[in-house]
Amino acid sequence: MKASALSLLFIAQLAADVDSFGIKSSLFTRNTQLRATNDESDKKRVVVIGNGMVGQRFMENLIDLDTDKKCTISTFCEEPRAAYNRVKLTSYFETRDPSALSMTSEFDNDGRTPWYEENNVELLLNDKVVSVDTKSKTVTGASGKTIDYDVAVFATGSFPFVPPIPGKQRPGVFVYRTIEDLEAMLAYVKENNVKSAAVIGGGLLGLEAAKAVADMKVESHIIEFAPILMCRQIDQGGHDALVGKIEEMGLKVHCGARTESFVGENGSTDMEDMSPVSALRFSNEGWDDLDVQMVVVSAGIKPRDELARDTDIVVGERGGIVVDEQLKTSVDGTYAIGEIALYNNFIYGLIAPGYDMAGVCSKIVAQEQLGYDLGLEETPAFTGADLSTKLKLLGCDVASFGENQPPPDDADVSDLVWNDPIGGIYRKLIFNKAGTRLRGGILVGDANDYSKLHKLAVQGGELPENPAMLLAPTSARGDVEEEELSDDPNTQICSCNDVTRGDIADTIKSLGVDGASLAEVKTCSKAGTGCGGCEPDVKMILKQELEKMGGSLSNHLCEHFAYSRPELMALVRTDADPTSVDSFEKILHKHGHGDGCEICKPTIGSILASTYNGIILDDGRDALQDTNDRSLANMQRGGTYSVVPRVPGGEITPEQLIQMGETAKKYNLYSKITGAQRIDFFGASKYQLPDIWEELGSVGLESGHAYGKALRTVKSCVGSTWCRFGVQDSVGFAIRVENRYKGVRSPHKTKSAVSGCVRECAEAQGKDFGMIATENGYNLYVGGNGGVNPVHAQLLATDIDEDTVLKYLDRYLMYYILTADRLERTAPWQAKLPSGKNGGGPIEHLKEVIIEDSLGICGELDSRMQYLVDTYHDEWAEVVNDPARRAKFKQFVNTDEVQTREEMIEFIDQRGQVRPTNWVPDGQPQTNWKPDTTDVFSRSEKSWVSVGKTSDFAPNVGSAILYGDTQLAVFNNAQRGEWYCTQNMCPHKQAFVLSQGIIGGTADGIAKVACPLHKKQFDLADGKQLDGDLSLITFAVKIEGDEVMVELPAQIEVDAILGTTGLRVGSSCSELDISGTDLEKEILNGVRNTTSTVV
């Protein structure tokens, strides 16, 4: 062993010995003091009291200005981790990872990030300041540490205001402010089986807290004293729209509520009893008690000014440290910023004004305390802030800007209101009396044009001749054009961080074409790092600026192909030798590199299907298919599948209905009729699918392609055959349309509808393509869709007959298939098309291409679509009638044994049917499973076990095997000539599905598998998650002759860790207890008889 290594070992052992005797030694503890230097005494000491978002921003700004290192910075932080983004606190539930909220980089185990050491900032964690002495200029923390200061900056923020409601002291009453608050709530919910909770407060913070409660899978009641929610931002109309959206999500809203007390389980209502909370009692006449088991108080904030009150710093009558325009307090050398600062008798509770204060304060300190000449023409000043805001609360856009609620006596007011209670959209624009100036507004449900309206109100600008043209929401204007971004470099893009377009453009130029990625631009400019609402604008600016610099925003499909989907499609369809591009391997060899991945494989699988239309499970194409296509069914929660027969036009026979019912009953499938005139069956195991489809096929039912990016349905009303208003046979035409385009693969799913008259009962104008009957034929609409961003379809042609409709649709759909991007619906694809020659927008371009053949491609479009129609095959019939294809649905390749769905996840009764139990939120038991050690079987005696013949394992996919009670996944990576074996259970949600994932490789050569449920990536060699901190248990594989051998411990040991019985997801979160059982004895005996070896 080298001497240096021995020295390190000696020091490590000495440290352990010192610790074992309880001796404190500065040699072995974190040195929180700044290292003294010869010129340290010449530096000014800046102490920042509070390490929240605003305090952190102040330090970052000051460090940027302090180019000559004239100061040292210390910051006190009472929390167990450094600054994090409280604005995005509810997103904590997505990962339960505090680092996802960090203001700098990932936290280490002590709650620190490298930023502080890199910038020579002394970070005092878990150390709340208890006193400030402005005479001796010292700050003292709870730890007893006292620091001298030249400059003290109060950034203590605020604390939640808790009204003096009797019972506020009870267990189960929380505030919503920190990560620890959320963790405490989660623990209380779990330990006390909380089913219902109340959130006191219906403002911005209250609604965020309500979302947090809902994310815990707890019924959430919003309790607001005022008659409306968010009374500072919206009015009654906005409230009505917002409440409609909130209640659609299952939350309950109670406005005008006068909470009298939090009632204990023992019925007490006093201020001392500690019985857990069980109800809310109101003083409203006729209101009953509201049964809840938890209360979250989010009724406003109060400045944390208690430190200043013990000094000679002036504090406002109702709280807050009084500051001037330079954020100076009444005592020299002390400043206050953020929610602690009282400017002009007003506390600013939003992050954007706090950042403005941090910017002004840092410049003042740099100039006046550190002596820098910043070359500013005017003294930096905070003179108030624009309180306009755009947020997404509980999934609903809410924005207010300018003078959104002028006083009642303001005579120069004229307002316009858009109120769509069905769509949940409310918009109020407030103009001056003359209608020449937009003063402000309220937007609920659709705020896509907020930036444009905000600029008109705050900065001024010329209004349209008819100002009412600004009123309609973008979703109701019949188009999906992106809002234009101003070229003015002074236009504010990020209000949270006050970043202008010019700031972003300068950042992009400094990074250069090669270095300017979206992530780098956000990090360097701070744009998009607050609430995140401006990220689409930042991306658009990046695209535009890169183009100016001769570069472009990469449209590469993935790391394996330097082409977009349309470009790859063009390369395939125009290749002079089609046989050289008729498989993934050939396309990869000719136009890409590496192994492929979960992005490019399904994309090329779709291109091959749209070009050659072969059976997607044949010739290795099953290895390209995404989660659902590989099984010809939609994977659902718990790893079961749904079965969706095609019902063309919604027409179905009694015999088909009877067979559906008998099949559903036989396999105990949950049955539901959808809004698209189909019947869905849920809960089928993969091995059952061929048998189910054999029974359904016996009455002529075909695959509904609900699993594919293909035509789903053509909805219809009954039309002229039954309806007294119908003018055409909409059912007959819908059946004709659906039977023509069924099975046609496309970049994304497509939906259609046929309405028999202008009453539009089939909702054809909300579909990718739709037909509305007229006296003379049909009007054809294209480019609509429902979903998250509903788009109204546009009129392509009028009064055309059925044959002409199909001709135009052939061309429209094939044009879309050839030129759309990956996973791009028709609506956004259509919106990006060039304008027609007459300036009529993309719809005019489509008329020119499809009707007038302006590009001369109609012949190709017609023939390509006809080829797909002529080569249609019912995929399930092909499986049912072919033993080789049917064998692909066997559960385990090494045995005919099966594990039923109930063995893997608990099924519960719901209204007479069964469904899988709810998944619990991430971070709770039964999620994010991890073994006790990284190599749990390292001490186990292993042997090589044959698990099948090489021919049993399809190439380039995973296959499941059963070993005792344990499911394992064996991956035959034929492309590399490598084999891997891992657990079959994805640790994220404990679902036994990994063998169904797509395998591929990273740019640096790591073989990986993507979980089919949530696309989490795992290294197949060592099992480590590539995009997180989970891991898989892996086992060695070797091939002997044609035998596939896996090196495994004894079954009893593997089952104890990975057995399906122990990992089954149930409604109870209790762990499997084997204490005192025979299983425990067998395991212990196995361990005693094991020969331990060091590998």
Side-chain angles (χ1 to χ4, degrees):
M1 186 179 290
K2 294 182 179 179
S4 58
L6 281 168
S7 301
L8 290 172
L9 183 61
F10 171 75
I11 292 172
Q13 183 59 50
L14 178 59
D17 293 341
V18 169
D19 284 345
S20 68
F21 285 101
I23 301 171
K24 299 293 183 183
S25 170
S26 60
L27 177 63
F28 303 113
T29 57
R30 179 185 291 273
N31 180 10
T32 58
Q33 299 293 331
L34 295 173
R35 294 183 178 87
T37 61
N38 292 334
D39 60 348
E40 195 78 12
S41 59
D42 297 332
K43 294 187 177 184
K44 294 286 185 77
R45 172 62 64 87
V46 177
V47 176
V48 181
I49 306 170
N51 186 224
M53 295 176 71
V54 175
Q56 178 68 25
R57 179 51 55 87
F58 167 80
M59 292 190 294
E60 292 173 357
N61 290 344
L62 185 60
I63 288 169
D64 289 342
L65 296 171
D66 184 20
T67 54
D68 295 333
K69 309 300 181 194
K70 294 183 179 182
C71 76
T72 59
I73 301 175
S74 298
T75 181
F76 284 85
C77 177
E78 68 176 285
E79 292 193 51
R81 63 186 62 81
Y84 58 90
N85 191 333
R86 294 186 200 278
V87 176
K88 294 185 176 180
L89 191 58
T90 53
S91 68
Y92 178 66
F93 289 106
E94 296 172 9
T95 61
R96 294 287 295 277
D97 179 10
S99 290
L101 299 177
S102 172
M103 297 292 292
T104 49
S105 58
E106 287 193 6
F107 295 119
D108 62 20
N109 292 335
D110 295 326
R112 300 171 181 272
T113 72
W115 182 90
Y116 297 88
E117 186 173 343
E118 290 168 358
N119 290 280
N120 203 29
V121 173
E122 182 181 22
L123 173 63
L124 302 164
L125 282 180
N126 292 298
D127 202 357
K128 177 182 178 181
V129 173
V130 294
S131 69
V132 177
D133 189 331
T134 58
K135 298 291 192 298
S136 61
K137 303 188 82 169
T138 60
V139 177
T140 301
S143 64
K145 184 179 182 66
T146 297
I147 298 180
D148 297 328
Y149 71 82
D150 299 291
V151 176
V153 180
F154 285 83
T156 48
S158 61
F159 60 84
F161 169 66
V162 180
I165 299 173
K168 68 177 185 177
Q169 77 285 352
R170 298 186 184 284
V173 178
F174 298 89
V175 295
Y176 173 79
R177 190 67 176 167
T178 68
I179 289 175
E180 280 60 48
D181 292 334
L182 290 182
E183 287 288 359
M185 288 183 223
L186 283 167
Y188 191 84
V189 166
K190 176 185 173 184
E191 293 166 5
N192 296 276
N193 194 28
V194 173
K195 300 298 184 185
S196 180
V199 176
I200 309 298
L204 291 174
L205 289 175
L207 296 184
E208 287 289 333
K211 181 182 186 301
V213 170
D215 287 342
M216 297 179 202
K217 308 304 180 187
V218 172
E219 183 180 63
S220 182
H221 294 265
I222 302 170
I223 312 298
E224 171 56 44
F225 179 80
I228 64 173
L229 298 177
M230 295 181 65
C231 56
R232 292 187 179 182
Q233 288 84 19
I234 62 177
D235 59 7
Q236 183 67 51
H239 161 85
D240 293 342
L242 180 59
V243 168
K245 292 285 189 181
I246 291 173
E247 291 187 337
E248 281 180 8
M249 299 177 62
L251 286 78
K252 308 290 194 307
V253 178
H254 312 264
C255 286
R258 298 190 289 277
T259 306
E260 182 178 278
S261 62
F262 302 152
V263 183
E265 289 181 355
N266 60 4
S268 62
T269 59
D270 57 48
M271 293 287 278
E272 297 178 356
D273 185 86
M274 294 302 291
S275 174
V277 67
S278 66
L280 263 61
R281 183 160 295 165
F282 305 97
S283 60
N284 303 64
E285 185 177 351
W287 283 36
D288 295 330
D289 287 357
L290 178 64
D291 292 335
V292 296
Q293 299 83 47
M294 185 172 76
V295 174
V296 181
V297 180
S298 187
I301 59 173
K302 291 193 70 175
R304 296 190 58 177
D305 55 13
E306 63 273 16
L307 289 172
R309 289 182 181 275
D310 293 334
T311 70
D312 48 357
I313 296 173
V314 175
V315 177
E317 183 179 345
R318 300 183 62 185
I321 297 176
V322 176
V323 296
D324 61 13
E325 292 183 350
Q326 279 70 50
L327 288 313
K328 298 176 182 177
T329 74
S330 58
V331 174
D332 288 344
T334 61
Y335 303 79
I337 55 178
E339 293 172 340
I340 182 65
L342 181 68
Y343 173 75
N344 202 17
N345 206 34
F346 192 86
I347 294 288
Y348 290 86
L350 298 174
I351 190 59
Y355 281 172
D356 288 346
M357 293 180 190
V360 171
C361 188
S362 61
K363 291 173 184 174
I364 293 297
V365 170
Q367 284 188 156
E368 299 183 4
Q369 301 289 340
L370 305 183
Y372 283 102
D373 180 4
L374 300 181
L376 303 175
E377 295 181 2
E378 298 180 354
T379 301
F382 177 81
T383 57
D386 175 21
L387 295 180
S388 302
T389 184
K390 176 188 176 186
L391 302 165
K392 188 172 285 290
L393 295 171
L394 293 162
C396 178
D397 280 346
V398 179
S400 63
F401 56 91
E403 302 173 75
N404 59 76
Q405 296 189 58
D409 58 353
D410 190 337
D412 190 27
V413 172
S414 178
D415 55 49
L416 296 174
V417 174
W418 177 288
N419 191 5
D420 174 10
I422 297 175
I425 297 174
Y426 174 86
R427 290 160 66 91
K428 182 177 185 179
L429 299 183
I430 301 164
F431 300 88
N432 63 350
K433 205 73 173 177
T436 57
R437 182 168 64 89
L438 179 62
R439 295 181 56 181
I442 297 168
L443 312 173
V444 178
D446 187 332
N448 289 330
D449 51 355
Y450 167 80
S451 297
K452 174 182 177 181
L453 296 173
H454 174 259
K455 182 180 178 183
L456 285 173
V458 176
Q459 300 180 18
E462 185 176 349
L463 302 183
E465 184 176 343
N466 179 8
M469 294 178 64
L470 298 171
L471 182 62
T474 56
S475 57
R477 295 176 191 166
D479 61 63
V480 288
E481 293 182 9
E482 295 178 349
E483 184 181 348
E484 290 186 11
L485 285 173
S486 170
D487 290 330
D488 183 353
N490 296 314
T491 299
Q492 187 186 64
I493 300 299
C494 177
S495 59
C496 289
N497 295 310
D498 190 22
V499 184
T500 65
R501 176 174 183 131
D503 296 331
I504 298 171
D506 290 342
T507 299
I508 295 168
K509 290 173 185 173
S510 66
L511 290 170
V513 171
D514 294 332
S517 65
L518 179 61
E520 283 297 317
V521 170
K522 287 172 60 180
T523 298
C524 296
S525 70
K526 304 298 183 186
T529 59
C531 71
C534 64
E535 186 170 313
D537 291 344
V538 177
K539 187 174 182 180
M540 179 59 69
I541 293 170
L542 174 59
K543 179 177 182 291
Q544 294 170 351
E545 294 300 320
L546 283 175
E547 289 173 353
K548 291 178 186 177
M549 297 161 64
S552 63
L553 192 61
S554 174
N555 66 346
H556 296 175
L557 183 62
C558 65
E559 58 201 282
H560 304 106
F561 288 94
Y563 303 98
S564 65
R565 182 200 174 275
E567 290 168 341
L568 267 178
M569 170 60 90
L571 289 171
V572 171
R573 75 183 179 90
T574 60
D575 198 295
D577 180 11
T579 62
S580 69
V581 286
D582 61 0
S583 72
F584 174 79
E585 291 74 20
K586 291 177 182 178
I587 295 173
L588 182 68
H589 174 74
K590 196 165 189 175
H591 300 297
H593 59 87
D595 297 335
C597 64
E598 73 284 354
I599 294 174
C600 61
K601 284 187 174 183
T603 302
I604 290 180
S606 173
I607 289 174
L608 293 173
S610 299
T611 306
Y612 302 105
N613 208 22
I615 296 173
I616 65 171
L617 299 184
D618 287 1
D619 301 322
R621 287 187 290 274
D622 51 349
L624 310 180
Q625 307 307 319
D626 215 335
T627 305
N628 299 329
D629 291 83
R630 182 179 168 191
S631 300
L632 304 182
N634 287 50
M635 182 179 283
Q636 306 294 345
R637 181 151 40 89
T640 59
Y641 293 84
S642 59
V643 173
V644 188
R646 185 172 297 284
V647 183
E651 185 178 80
I652 191 167
T653 67
E655 289 77 15
Q656 290 173 327
L657 281 172
I658 290 169
Q659 183 60 61
M660 284 182 174
E662 290 178 345
T663 301
K665 189 174 182 179
K666 176 179 178 180
Y667 295 94
N668 199 13
L669 305 178
Y670 177 95
S671 306
K672 185 182 182 301
I673 297 176
T674 73
Q677 298 178 334
R678 293 185 303 181
I679 301 177
D680 291 10
F681 304 105
F682 296 85
S685 297
K686 183 175 178 178
Y687 65 86
Q688 296 174 321
L689 292 174
D691 295 334
I692 290 172
W693 276 105
E694 184 172 13
E695 295 179 17
L696 296 175
S698 68
V699 290
L701 291 168
E702 297 181 334
S703 170
H705 290 93
Y707 49 82
K709 301 296 184 283
L711 177 69
R712 297 293 176 83
T713 61
V714 181
K715 188 177 178 181
S716 72
C717 63
V718 294
S720 60
T721 53
W722 289 94
C723 179
R724 65 185 186 276
F725 299 109
V727 294
Q728 301 289 346
D729 178 9
S730 54
V731 177
F733 190 36
I735 292 172
R736 184 182 178 192
V737 172
E738 187 158 353
N739 281 330
R740 181 168 183 80
Y741 300 119
K742 62 186 178 183
V744 172
R745 290 300 206 282
S746 50
H748 211 301
K749 65 185 177 186
T750 57
K751 297 181 179 182
S752 180
V754 183
S755 286
C757 71
V758 294
R759 295 164 68 90
E760 244 287 66
C761 293
E763 302 166 327
Q765 294 174 85
K767 301 293 188 286
D768 295 276
F769 56 96
M771 289 67 72
I772 300 177
T774 69
E775 293 287 352
N776 302 312
Y778 289 93
N779 289 344
L780 174 58
Y781 293 83
V782 293
N785 64 248
V788 177
N789 298 302
V791 177
H792 199 284
Q794 296 176 288
L795 183 61
L796 181 69
T798 60
D799 292 329
I800 54 177
D801 59 26
E802 291 186 3
D803 289 342
T804 305
V805 169
L806 295 180
K807 179 171 70 173
Y808 291 169
L809 280 180
D810 283 357
R811 296 171 180 177
Y812 175 81
L813 290 173
M814 188 52 65
Y815 192 33
Y816 163 62
I817 290 169
L818 296 182
T819 61
D821 221 328
R822 168 181 172 266
L823 300 181
E824 187 172 43
R825 292 290 301 269
T826 57
W829 164 76
Q830 189 167 306
K832 294 194 310 188
L833 294 175
S835 179
K837 294 175 183 176
N838 64 358
I843 191 65
E844 293 300 321
H845 168 79
L846 284 171
K847 290 177 182 178
E848 292 164 5
V849 172
I850 291 169
I851 301 174
E852 301 169 16
D853 197 13
S854 61
L855 299 181
I857 61 171
C858 283
E860 180 189 0
L861 301 179
D862 292 344
S863 62
R864 285 188 176 277
M865 180 56 75
Q866 192 58 50
Y867 174 79
L868 295 180
V869 172
D870 292 342
T871 55
Y872 165 76
H873 47 268
D874 175 17
E875 290 167 346
W876 267 115
E878 299 290 341
V879 169
V880 167
N881 296 321
D882 184 275
R885 296 186 186 117
R886 197 163 182 155
K888 292 176 182 285
F889 291 83
K890 188 178 179 184
Q891 189 175 19
F892 304 113
V893 300
N894 65 328
T895 179
D896 290 331
E897 248 186 277
V898 297
Q899 288 191 339
T900 65
R901 63 185 188 183
E902 288 84 2
E903 292 178 77
M904 292 178 273
I905 186 170
E906 180 181 356
F907 274 70
I908 60 176
D909 180 78
Q910 186 169 58
R911 295 179 293 276
Q913 300 195 83
V914 295
R915 67 166 180 84
T917 188
N918 294 330
W919 272 338
V920 297
D922 281 0
Q924 294 190 16
Q926 302 189 139
T927 68
N928 298 336
W929 176 90
K930 294 180 182 178
D932 291 335
T933 63
T934 54
D935 191 0
V936 68
F937 296 120
S938 61
R939 295 172 59 85
S940 299
E941 184 175 358
K942 304 181 183 73
S943 60
W944 290 100
V945 178
S946 174
V947 296
K949 306 292 186 182
T950 54
S951 57
D952 294 331
F953 297 86
N956 300 311
V957 296
S959 302
I961 63 171
L962 188 63
Y963 182 66
D965 185 43
T966 297
Q967 294 191 28
L968 300 177
V970 175
F971 298 92
N972 175 10
N973 194 341
Q975 193 170 346
R976 286 188 174 200
E978 298 171 351
W979 291 75
Y980 306 93
C981 180
T982 73
Q983 65 196 59
N984 194 36
M985 180 203 70
C986 176
H988 177 217
K989 291 294 187 181
Q990 290 188 202
F992 299 83
V993 295
L994 280 177
S995 63
Q996 301 302 299
I998 293 178
I999 64 174
T1002 65
D1004 50 358
I1006 296 175
K1008 65 175 183 176
V1009 62
C1011 172
L1013 280 175
H1014 299 105
K1015 302 301 184 229
K1016 295 191 180 297
Q1017 316 279 316
F1018 296 94
D1019 185 329
L1020 283 171
D1022 62 17
K1024 292 180 180 177
Q1025 186 182 354
L1026 301 177
D1027 51 356
D1029 62 353
L1030 300 176
S1031 63
L1032 309 176
I1033 296 176
T1034 61
F1035 304 91
V1037 183
K1038 69 177 181 180
I1039 306 300
E1040 289 188 354
D1042 62 350
E1043 293 286 333
V1044 180
M1045 312 289 289
V1046 180
E1047 190 179 30
L1048 295 166
Q1051 282 187 9
I1052 190 70
E1053 293 185 57
V1054 178
D1055 286 346
I1057 304 298
L1058 293 174
T1060 303
T1061 302
L1063 295 173
R1064 175 179 182 262
V1065 173
S1067 55
S1068 170
C1069 294
S1070 58
E1071 297 181 359
L1072 180 66
D1073 185 5
I1074 62 171
S1075 302
T1077 64
D1078 291 339
L1079 177 59
E1080 181 190 39
K1081 294 175 183 176
E1082 288 186 65
I1083 294 172
L1084 291 174
N1085 287 332
V1087 171
R1088 291 190 190 101
N1089 295 327
T1090 295
T1091 302
S1092 301
T1093 57
V1094 179
V1095 180

